[in-house]
Amino acid sequence: MIQPGQTYRSLSNRHHPSDGPTRIRIASAPIGATDLDGMRKVQVVTITRDGREIRPRWMRADQLHTTASTRDGAHRRTGYVLET
């Protein structure tokens, strides 16, 4: 379940190795109604290396995952995975 305050990291490899993966934090709980594309949205902010929250935006909830692997055991290549 997606909760405000949770932190996720990017599964993409499109970052500089010294920067590490992009991290985001959930700013508000998912809205109950679906958007025009039929998907639920959550408001997220990007977290900088020094902990500042920048770039608030809405993101589709289906891009947030609890594990880095799919149901079949394959590694995910896109989206964000919950940090523990």
Side-chain angles (χ1 to χ4, degrees), residues 1-4 6 26-33 40-43 58-59 61 64:
M1 178 175 244
I2 300 170
Q3 299 285 336
Q6 288 178 326
I26 305 300
S28 69
I31 54 177
R40 291 177 11 159
K41 307 275 184 171
V42 294
Q43 189 173 21
W58 290 95
M59 178 181 284
L64 305 173

Side-chain angles (χ1 to χ4, degrees), residues 4-26:
Q6 288 178 326
T7 304
Y8 289 78
R9 68 174 168 81
S10 174
L11 292 169
S12 173
N13 62 355
R14 303 181 104 193
H15 59 269
H16 192 276
S18 66
D19 291 338
T22 303
R23 296 176 64 226
I24 60 171
R25 181 172 292 134
I26 305 300

Side-chain angles (χ1 to χ4, degrees), residues 2-82:
I2 300 170
Q3 299 285 336
Q6 288 178 326
T7 304
Y8 289 78
R9 68 174 168 81
S10 174
L11 292 169
S12 173
N13 62 355
R14 303 181 104 193
H15 59 269
H16 192 276
S18 66
D19 291 338
T22 303
R23 296 176 64 226
I24 60 171
R25 181 172 292 134
I26 305 300
S28 69
I31 54 177
T34 58
D35 202 359
L36 293 175
D37 57 2
M39 301 305 294
R40 291 177 11 159
K41 307 275 184 171
V42 294
Q43 189 173 21
V44 300
V45 292
T46 300
I47 303 172
T48 62
R49 282 197 270 175
D50 60 356
R52 291 183 305 125
E53 295 180 354
I54 60 170
R55 197 174 163 231
R57 64 195 180 280
W58 290 95
M59 178 181 284
R60 290 173 45 160
D62 67 345
Q63 295 296 310
L64 305 173
H65 309 288
T66 54
T67 64
S69 58
T70 64
R71 191 176 325 143
D72 300 328
H75 294 289
R76 295 186 193 275
R77 293 183 220 142
T78 62
Y80 293 83
V81 66
L82 182 63

